[in-house]
Amino acid sequence: MPFNQNNDNSVTLTHPSGSSAKVLLYGATVISWEVEGKERLFLSSKAKLDGTKAVRGGIPLVFPVFGKATEGPAAALPQHGFARTSTWELLGIKNDNDDVVAVQFGLGVENIDPEAQKQWPYKFGLIYTVELGKDTLTNTMEIRNDADAEDFDFQILFHSYLAVGDVSDVEVKGLEKVDYRDKTQGGKVLTQAAESEARLDITSEIDRLYVAPSETTTTVLEKGKAVVEVQRQNLKDVVVWNPWEKAPQNMGDFAPEDGWKRMICVEAGSVAEWHKLRKGDSWTGSQVLKALL
Ligand code: BG6
């Protein structure tokens, strides 16, 4: 069976090769992706999976705002918006063949809570496709604006928590000489490409928004070997985040104590600027995660 609806409000996708993925309806959050029997996503052992809090781990969906907007139409929304804290509809299977199994989820204005509707009163519709291949996981978001509605501005990001053996052995490639905003320094100032490192080793807390790298693939290496790639399609930016050793103190749902060593977030999105979606228009962007080892 390539696709199974579980009793815990989740679905499991299984590929003929043996790879699998599990997606919660809450947030349409992918909480597991296994290739060759190995889990490729980090999920906190204290993550809430019961719909009371955004999931700490897996791939939460960030929409319509990245971080906390201080001004503009998204200013009333909580950090990272409502997509990750809303319960999505299962739309059904899109593809099932020897190459891929794909399932779609939907979220519209009617699915979000009345508070969020007040905070962001637009007539949007999201269709999220999760596609599992032998060694790939593709996440595609289509965003629609109703024909008889108002234009709106949005940001979107796939907040992927990638599992690693030890983050101190990790290097991220594909962001060399790219301008970035350092969120540990307030995120306002842009570090220019000329000062940006030739290679990015993760040796302390990191929270950076890399603005529009021309390279559309970001690669995570461990001890010099490429372990996973994040490819972007129509997604301009990349966020790299690891909260380091204070993670369990700062986040009540972060565990185990040394879990921060076992993860690196490489987040594909379009978040440095706002996208305007005119009424009647739609927008689509994807990331492809590819397991290499
Ligand atoms: C990252 C942000 O994308 O998400 C960080 O760049 C933030 O600044 C992190 O701390 C986690 O956010 P949250 O809301 O899930 O705790």
Side-chain angles (χ1 to χ4, degrees):
M1 194 50 191
F3 157 65
N4 190 55
Q5 259 180 279
N6 309 315
N7 304 330
D8 59 353
N9 289 320
S10 70
V11 298
T12 302
L13 286 70
T14 313
H15 187 267
S17 64
S19 62
S20 66
K22 188 171 178 181
V23 191
L24 281 186
L25 292 184
Y26 181 69
T29 316
V30 178
I31 54 167
S32 167
W33 171 42
E34 272 193 31
V35 179
E36 291 180 9
K38 193 170 153 199
E39 179 57 58
R40 308 297 169 138
L41 298 175
F42 171 83
L43 179 66
S44 163
S45 56
K46 279 195 187 161
K48 298 272 184 226
L49 303 179
D50 60 358
T52 55
K53 189 178 190 312
V55 177
R56 179 68 61 202
I59 312 180
L61 299 172
V62 169
F63 174 88
V65 59
F66 172 66
K68 183 80 188 85
T70 49
E71 54 186 9
L77 288 171
Q79 155 123 329
H80 294 340
F82 52 71
R84 64 178 184 163
T85 51
S86 300
T87 299
W88 291 56
E89 273 179 50
L90 175 63
L91 302 179
I93 199 142
K94 191 192 166 208
N95 264 319
D96 173 20
N97 54 49
D98 281 351
D99 296 328
V100 292
V101 44
V103 173
Q104 291 190 309
F105 303 86
L107 187 78
V109 64
E110 65 285 0
N111 307 111
I112 64 172
D113 69 38
E115 188 57 26
Q117 286 182 31
K118 264 190 257 154
Q119 290 167 338
W120 204 73
Y122 298 101
K123 288 193 183 168
F124 70 94
L126 303 179
I127 296 181
Y128 180 43
T129 308
V130 178
E131 185 178 286
L132 179 71
K134 180 173 169 283
D135 50 9
T136 55
L137 184 75
T138 304
N139 308 102
T140 302
M141 190 68 78
E142 182 186 344
I143 305 173
R144 297 177 182 170
N145 191 358
D146 264 22
D148 62 347
E150 269 183 75
D151 299 349
F152 61 73
D153 291 333
F154 71 92
Q155 297 175 329
I156 170 97
L157 170 129
F158 300 101
H159 197 306
S160 309
Y161 288 72
L162 305 174
V164 294
D166 185 336
V167 74
S168 314
D169 297 329
V170 164
E171 183 194 338
V172 180
K173 273 202 171 153
L175 304 173
E176 302 80 23
K177 304 287 174 195
V178 176
D179 291 350
Y180 68 86
R181 291 186 204 146
D182 191 339
K183 291 183 76 182
T184 67
Q185 308 296 323
K188 300 251 183 306
V189 182
L190 196 67
T191 298
Q192 299 294 334
E195 283 102 54
S196 180
E197 295 91 339
R199 62 182 264 172
L200 176 59
D201 293 313
I202 313 295
T203 52
S204 59
E205 181 190 3
I206 182 161
D207 192 357
R208 291 182 184 177
L209 162 50
Y210 283 88
V211 181
S214 54
E215 174 61 76
T216 53
T217 298
T218 312
T219 308
V220 175
L221 295 90
E222 275 190 77
K223 295 188 177 160
K225 284 198 181 131
V227 290
V228 62
E229 263 177 21
V230 181
Q231 299 164 10
R232 307 186 316 283
Q233 290 160 4
N234 202 27
L235 294 171
K236 287 187 184 158
D237 311 313
V238 177
V239 174
V240 179
W241 179 61
N242 182 293
W244 219 248
E245 60 197 9
K246 293 209 183 84
Q249 283 142 262
N250 294 342
M251 291 174 262
D253 58 352
F254 197 99
E257 193 73 14
D258 66 351
W260 57 275
K261 290 184 185 168
R262 319 253 171 266
M263 57 151 281
I264 179 79
C265 283
V266 176
E267 309 163 24
S270 266
V271 293
E273 289 169 0
W274 292 94
H275 281 273
K276 184 167 290 300
L277 199 62
R278 305 253 176 227
K279 58 184 179 182
D281 279 358
S282 68
W283 174 98
T284 302
S286 305
Q287 73 168 4
V288 183
L289 303 182
K290 185 169 168 58
L292 299 170
L293 271 185

